[in-house]
Amino acid sequence: MASKVRLYVEHPLGEGQSVPLSREQAHYLFGVMRLAAGDVVSLINSVDGEWDAEVVEAGKKGGVLVCSAQTAPLQMPPDLWLLFAPIRKERTAFIVEKAVEMGAARIMPVQSAYTQSANRIRMDKLQAHAVEAAEQCGGTYVPPVDDLAKLERVLAEWPAGRHLMFCDEGMAGRSAALPSVLAAPCAILIGPEGGFSPAEREMLQTATFAHAVSLGPRILRADTAAVAALTLWQQAFGDWQ
Ligand code: SAH
C-alpha cells in the first residue's frame, strides 16, 4: 500500500476536528494526488503531532478533512539553530530542506560581507521548502525560516546562554571534535562560498559565545558544510543518540 499523503496545515488538530483546505491544498490532494471523499491523509501542524484525517468534502477550490486519531506525538528537534549565508537558489533550497531533515529548530539566512547579491535569492519560497521537507521526512514540526538578516546585527544581538558553532574554513585540517560547551542551546554558522571576511572573522574570534570548529581537512562547499555540521552536532549532542 502506498504511504499516506502528509500535509502541513495551519489549523488545530484533535479528535473530530474539521480542517478546511485552501485552494492550493485542495488542488494538491484532489488534483495532483487524486484523492477523493473517504480517503485518509496524515496532517501535521507543528503543535499537535500527526493525525489521521478523512476527506469529507473534495472540491476544485477547497475541501474539508476531519481528524480521527493521533498517529504520532509532536517531536520537537533539539534547540539548534542553523545560520547560513544564502548561496545560489537551488543550493539555498537544498540547505533549508536538509536542515529540516537533519533536525534544526530554526533556520536563519544571514547576509555576510561575501554573500552573493541577496536580492536574487527567492527568500519567500524558503518557508515552503521547509514545509515540504517536513511533510516528506515524517517530521511533526516545521522550523521557522527567518527573513534574511545582516550577520553583523545578528551577532550584535546574540541571546545570552546560546553558544555558536562557528564553522571556520581557517580551521580546516584541525580535529573536528566539538567542545562540550556547544551542547544545546546552540547555533551553527556556515559562511558563503567566499568564506568570511577578515572583519567578520575577527568579530567571531572575539565573541565569547562563538567557538571556531573544523569540518575536516578539505574545504567543503557551503551546502555540504551545512549537512556535515548538522551531522556532527546531532551525533554529539542532539536527538540521534
Ligand atoms: N572560499 C572559502 C571557503 C568557503 S566554504 C575558502 O576558500 O577558504 C563555505 C563555508 O563552509 C565556510 O565559510 C565554512 O563555514 C564552511 N566550511 C567549509 N569547509 C570547512 C572546513 N573544512 N572547516 C570548517 N568550516 C568549513
CSV table of all heavy atoms in Angstrom, one decimal, residues 187-226:
chain,number,residue,atom,x,y,z
A,187,ALA,N,23.8,27.2,18.1
A,187,ALA,CA,23.5,27.6,16.7
A,187,ALA,C,24.8,27.3,15.9
A,187,ALA,O,25.9,27.4,16.4
A,187,ALA,CB,23.2,29.1,16.6
A,188,ILE,N,24.5,26.9,14.7
A,188,ILE,CA,25.6,26.6,13.7
A,188,ILE,C,25.7,27.8,12.8
A,188,ILE,O,24.7,28.3,12.3
A,188,ILE,CB,25.3,25.3,13.0
A,188,ILE,CG1,25.4,24.1,13.9
A,188,ILE,CG2,26.3,25.1,11.7
A,188,ILE,CD1,24.9,22.8,13.2
A,189,LEU,N,26.9,28.2,12.4
A,189,LEU,CA,27.1,29.2,11.5
A,189,LEU,C,28.0,28.7,10.3
A,189,LEU,O,29.1,28.3,10.5
A,189,LEU,CB,27.8,30.5,12.1
A,189,LEU,CG,28.2,31.6,11.1
A,189,LEU,CD1,27.0,32.2,10.4
A,189,LEU,CD2,29.0,32.7,11.9
A,190,ILE,N,27.4,28.8,9.1
A,190,ILE,CA,28.1,28.4,7.9
A,190,ILE,C,28.2,29.7,7.0
A,190,ILE,O,27.3,30.4,6.7
A,190,ILE,CB,27.3,27.4,7.1
A,190,ILE,CG1,27.0,26.1,8.0
A,190,ILE,CG2,27.9,27.0,5.8
A,190,ILE,CD1,28.1,25.2,8.2
A,191,GLY,N,29.4,29.9,6.5
A,191,GLY,CA,29.7,31.0,5.6
A,191,GLY,C,29.3,30.8,4.2
A,191,GLY,O,29.0,29.7,3.8
A,192,PRO,N,29.4,31.9,3.4
A,192,PRO,CA,29.1,31.7,1.9
A,192,PRO,C,30.3,31.1,1.2
A,192,PRO,O,31.4,30.9,1.8
A,192,PRO,CB,28.9,33.2,1.5
A,192,PRO,CG,29.8,33.9,2.4
A,192,PRO,CD,29.9,33.2,3.7
A,193,GLU,N,30.1,30.9,-0.1
A,193,GLU,CA,31.2,30.3,-0.9
A,193,GLU,C,32.5,31.1,-0.8
A,193,GLU,O,33.6,30.5,-0.9
A,193,GLU,CB,30.8,30.3,-2.4
A,193,GLU,CG,29.6,29.4,-2.7
A,193,GLU,CD,29.8,27.9,-2.3
A,193,GLU,OE1,31.0,27.5,-2.2
A,193,GLU,OE2,28.8,27.2,-2.2
A,194,GLY,N,32.4,32.4,-0.6
A,194,GLY,CA,33.6,33.3,-0.5
A,194,GLY,C,34.2,33.2,0.9
A,194,GLY,O,35.3,33.8,1.2
A,195,GLY,N,33.6,32.5,1.8
A,195,GLY,CA,34.1,32.4,3.2
A,195,GLY,C,33.8,33.7,4.0
A,195,GLY,O,33.0,34.5,3.5
A,196,PHE,N,34.4,33.8,5.2
A,196,PHE,CA,34.2,35.0,6.0
A,196,PHE,C,35.2,36.1,5.7
A,196,PHE,O,36.3,35.8,5.4
A,196,PHE,CB,34.2,34.6,7.5
A,196,PHE,CG,33.1,33.7,7.9
A,196,PHE,CD1,33.3,32.3,8.0
A,196,PHE,CD2,31.8,34.2,8.1
A,196,PHE,CE1,32.2,31.5,8.3
A,196,PHE,CE2,30.8,33.4,8.5
A,196,PHE,CZ,31.0,32.0,8.6
A,197,SER,N,34.8,37.4,5.9
A,197,SER,CA,35.7,38.5,5.6
A,197,SER,C,36.6,38.6,6.9
A,197,SER,O,36.3,38.1,7.9
A,197,SER,CB,35.0,39.8,5.4
A,197,SER,OG,34.4,40.2,6.7
A,198,PRO,N,37.8,39.2,6.7
A,198,PRO,CA,38.7,39.4,7.9
A,198,PRO,C,38.0,40.1,9.1
A,198,PRO,O,38.1,39.7,10.2
A,198,PRO,CB,39.8,40.3,7.4
A,198,PRO,CG,39.9,40.0,5.9
A,198,PRO,CD,38.4,39.7,5.5
A,199,ALA,N,37.1,41.1,8.8
A,199,ALA,CA,36.4,41.7,9.9
A,199,ALA,C,35.4,40.8,10.6
A,199,ALA,O,35.3,40.8,11.8
A,199,ALA,CB,35.7,43.0,9.3
A,200,GLU,N,34.7,40.0,9.8
A,200,GLU,CA,33.8,39.0,10.4
A,200,GLU,C,34.6,38.0,11.2
A,200,GLU,O,34.1,37.6,12.3
A,200,GLU,CB,33.0,38.3,9.3
A,200,GLU,CG,31.9,39.2,8.7
A,200,GLU,CD,31.4,38.6,7.4
A,200,GLU,OE1,32.0,37.7,6.8
A,200,GLU,OE2,30.3,39.1,7.0
A,201,ARG,N,35.7,37.6,10.7
A,201,ARG,CA,36.4,36.5,11.4
A,201,ARG,C,36.9,37.1,12.7
A,201,ARG,O,36.9,36.4,13.8
A,201,ARG,CB,37.6,36.1,10.6
A,201,ARG,CG,38.4,35.0,11.2
A,201,ARG,CD,39.3,34.2,10.3
A,201,ARG,NE,38.5,33.2,9.5
A,201,ARG,CZ,38.3,33.2,8.2
A,201,ARG,NH1,38.8,34.2,7.5
A,201,ARG,NH2,37.6,32.3,7.6
A,202,GLU,N,37.3,38.4,12.7
A,202,GLU,CA,37.8,39.0,14.0
A,202,GLU,C,36.6,39.1,15.0
A,202,GLU,O,36.8,38.8,16.2
A,202,GLU,CB,38.4,40.4,13.7
A,202,GLU,CG,39.2,40.8,14.9
A,202,GLU,CD,39.7,42.2,14.8
A,202,GLU,OE1,40.0,42.6,13.7
A,202,GLU,OE2,39.7,42.9,15.8
A,203,MET,N,35.5,39.5,14.5
A,203,MET,CA,34.3,39.7,15.3
A,203,MET,C,34.0,38.3,16.0
A,203,MET,O,33.7,38.3,17.2
A,203,MET,CB,33.1,40.2,14.5
A,203,MET,CG,32.0,40.6,15.3
A,203,MET,SD,31.0,41.9,14.4
A,203,MET,CE,30.1,41.0,13.2
A,204,LEU,N,34.0,37.3,15.2
A,204,LEU,CA,33.7,35.9,15.7
A,204,LEU,C,34.7,35.4,16.6
A,204,LEU,O,34.4,34.7,17.6
A,204,LEU,CB,33.5,35.0,14.5
A,204,LEU,CG,32.2,35.2,13.7
A,204,LEU,CD1,32.2,34.6,12.3
A,204,LEU,CD2,31.0,34.6,14.5
A,205,GLN,N,36.0,35.8,16.4
A,205,GLN,CA,37.0,35.3,17.3
A,205,GLN,C,37.0,36.0,18.6
A,205,GLN,O,37.4,35.4,19.6
A,205,GLN,CB,38.4,35.5,16.6
A,205,GLN,CG,38.7,34.3,15.7
A,205,GLN,CD,39.8,34.6,14.6
A,205,GLN,OE1,40.3,35.7,14.5
A,205,GLN,NE2,40.1,33.6,13.8
A,206,THR,N,36.5,37.2,18.7
A,206,THR,CA,36.5,37.9,20.0
A,206,THR,C,35.1,37.6,20.7
A,206,THR,O,35.1,37.9,21.9
A,206,THR,CB,36.7,39.4,19.8
A,206,THR,OG1,35.8,39.9,18.8
A,206,THR,CG2,38.1,39.7,19.4
A,207,ALA,N,34.1,37.2,20.0
A,207,ALA,CA,32.8,37.0,20.7
A,207,ALA,C,32.9,35.8,21.6
A,207,ALA,O,33.4,34.7,21.2
A,207,ALA,CB,31.7,36.7,19.7
A,208,THR,N,32.5,36.0,22.9
A,208,THR,CA,32.7,34.9,23.9
A,208,THR,C,31.8,33.7,23.6
A,208,THR,O,32.1,32.6,24.0
A,208,THR,CB,32.5,35.4,25.3
A,208,THR,OG1,31.2,36.0,25.3
A,208,THR,CG2,33.5,36.4,25.8
A,209,PHE,N,30.7,33.9,22.9
A,209,PHE,CA,29.7,32.8,22.7
A,209,PHE,C,30.1,32.0,21.5
A,209,PHE,O,29.6,30.9,21.3
A,209,PHE,CB,28.3,33.4,22.5
A,209,PHE,CG,28.2,34.4,21.4
A,209,PHE,CD1,28.1,34.1,20.1
A,209,PHE,CD2,28.3,35.8,21.8
A,209,PHE,CE1,28.0,35.0,19.1
A,209,PHE,CE2,28.2,36.7,20.8
A,209,PHE,CZ,28.0,36.4,19.4
A,210,ALA,N,31.1,32.5,20.7
A,210,ALA,CA,31.4,31.8,19.4
A,210,ALA,C,32.6,30.9,19.6
A,210,ALA,O,33.6,31.2,20.3
A,210,ALA,CB,31.7,32.8,18.3
A,211,HIS,N,32.6,29.7,19.0
A,211,HIS,CA,33.7,28.7,19.1
A,211,HIS,C,34.0,28.2,17.7
A,211,HIS,O,33.1,27.6,17.1
A,211,HIS,CB,33.3,27.5,20.0
A,211,HIS,CG,32.8,28.0,21.3
A,211,HIS,ND1,33.6,28.2,22.4
A,211,HIS,CD2,31.5,28.4,21.7
A,211,HIS,CE1,32.9,28.6,23.4
A,211,HIS,NE2,31.6,28.7,23.0
A,212,ALA,N,35.2,28.5,17.2
A,212,ALA,CA,35.6,28.1,15.9
A,212,ALA,C,35.8,26.6,15.8
A,212,ALA,O,36.4,26.0,16.7
A,212,ALA,CB,36.8,28.8,15.4
A,213,VAL,N,35.2,25.9,14.8
A,213,VAL,CA,35.4,24.5,14.7
A,213,VAL,C,35.8,24.1,13.3
A,213,VAL,O,35.5,24.9,12.3
A,213,VAL,CB,34.1,23.7,15.1
A,213,VAL,CG1,33.6,24.0,16.5
A,213,VAL,CG2,33.0,23.9,14.1
A,214,SER,N,36.4,23.0,13.1
A,214,SER,CA,36.8,22.5,11.8
A,214,SER,C,35.8,21.4,11.4
A,214,SER,O,35.2,20.7,12.2
A,214,SER,CB,38.2,21.8,12.0
A,214,SER,OG,38.4,20.9,11.0
A,215,LEU,N,35.7,21.4,10.0
A,215,LEU,CA,34.8,20.3,9.4
A,215,LEU,C,35.7,19.4,8.6
A,215,LEU,O,35.4,19.0,7.5
A,215,LEU,CB,33.7,20.9,8.6
A,215,LEU,CG,32.7,21.8,9.3
A,215,LEU,CD1,31.7,22.4,8.3
A,215,LEU,CD2,31.9,21.0,10.4
A,216,GLY,N,36.9,19.1,9.1
A,216,GLY,CA,37.8,18.2,8.5
A,216,GLY,C,38.9,18.8,7.6
A,216,GLY,O,38.9,20.1,7.6
A,217,PRO,N,39.7,18.0,6.9
A,217,PRO,CA,40.8,18.6,6.2
A,217,PRO,C,40.5,19.3,4.9
A,217,PRO,O,41.4,20.0,4.3
A,217,PRO,CB,41.7,17.3,6.0
A,217,PRO,CG,40.7,16.2,6.0
A,217,PRO,CD,39.6,16.6,6.9
A,218,ARG,N,39.3,19.0,4.3
A,218,ARG,CA,39.0,19.6,3.0
A,218,ARG,C,38.1,20.8,3.1
A,218,ARG,O,37.3,20.8,4.1
A,218,ARG,CB,38.4,18.6,2.1
A,218,ARG,CG,39.5,17.5,1.6
A,218,ARG,CD,38.8,16.3,1.1
A,218,ARG,NE,38.2,15.5,2.2
A,218,ARG,CZ,38.8,14.6,2.9
A,218,ARG,NH1,40.0,14.3,2.6
A,218,ARG,NH2,38.1,14.0,3.9
A,219,ILE,N,38.1,21.7,2.2
A,219,ILE,CA,37.2,22.9,2.2
A,219,ILE,C,35.9,22.4,1.5
A,219,ILE,O,35.9,22.0,0.3
A,219,ILE,CB,37.8,24.1,1.4
A,219,ILE,CG1,39.1,24.6,2.0
A,219,ILE,CG2,36.8,25.2,1.4
A,219,ILE,CD1,39.0,25.2,3.4
A,220,LEU,N,34.8,22.4,2.3
A,220,LEU,CA,33.6,22.0,1.7
A,220,LEU,C,32.8,23.1,1.1
A,220,LEU,O,32.9,24.3,1.6
A,220,LEU,CB,32.7,21.4,2.9
A,220,LEU,CG,33.5,20.3,3.8
A,220,LEU,CD1,32.6,19.9,4.9
A,220,LEU,CD2,33.9,19.1,2.9
A,221,ARG,N,31.9,22.8,0.2
A,221,ARG,CA,31.0,23.8,-0.3
A,221,ARG,C,30.0,24.1,0.8
A,221,ARG,O,29.8,23.2,1.7
A,221,ARG,CB,30.3,23.3,-1.5
A,221,ARG,CG,31.2,23.0,-2.7
A,221,ARG,CD,30.4,22.7,-3.9
A,221,ARG,NE,29.7,23.9,-4.4
A,221,ARG,CZ,29.7,24.2,-5.7
A,221,ARG,NH1,30.2,23.3,-6.6
A,221,ARG,NH2,29.1,25.2,-6.1
A,222,ALA,N,29.4,25.3,0.8
A,222,ALA,CA,28.6,25.7,1.9
A,222,ALA,C,27.4,24.7,2.2
A,222,ALA,O,27.1,24.4,3.3
A,222,ALA,CB,28.0,27.1,1.6
A,223,ASP,N,26.8,24.2,1.1
A,223,ASP,CA,25.7,23.2,1.3
A,223,ASP,C,26.2,21.9,2.0
A,223,ASP,O,25.6,21.4,2.9
A,223,ASP,CB,24.9,23.0,0.0
A,223,ASP,CG,25.8,22.7,-1.2
A,223,ASP,OD1,27.0,22.8,-1.1
A,223,ASP,OD2,25.2,22.2,-2.2
A,224,THR,N,27.4,21.4,1.5
A,224,THR,CA,27.9,20.2,2.1
A,224,THR,C,28.3,20.5,3.6
A,224,THR,O,28.0,19.7,4.5
A,224,THR,CB,29.2,19.8,1.4
A,224,THR,OG1,29.0,19.9,0.0
A,224,THR,CG2,29.6,18.4,1.8
A,225,ALA,N,28.9,21.7,3.8
A,225,ALA,CA,29.3,22.1,5.2
A,225,ALA,C,28.1,22.1,6.1
A,225,ALA,O,28.2,21.7,7.3
A,225,ALA,CB,30.0,23.5,5.1
A,226,ALA,N,27.0,22.6,5.6
A,226,ALA,CA,25.8,22.7,6.5
A,226,ALA,C,25.4,21.3,6.9
A,226,ALA,O,25.1,21.0,8.1
A,226,ALA,CB,24.6,23.4,5.8
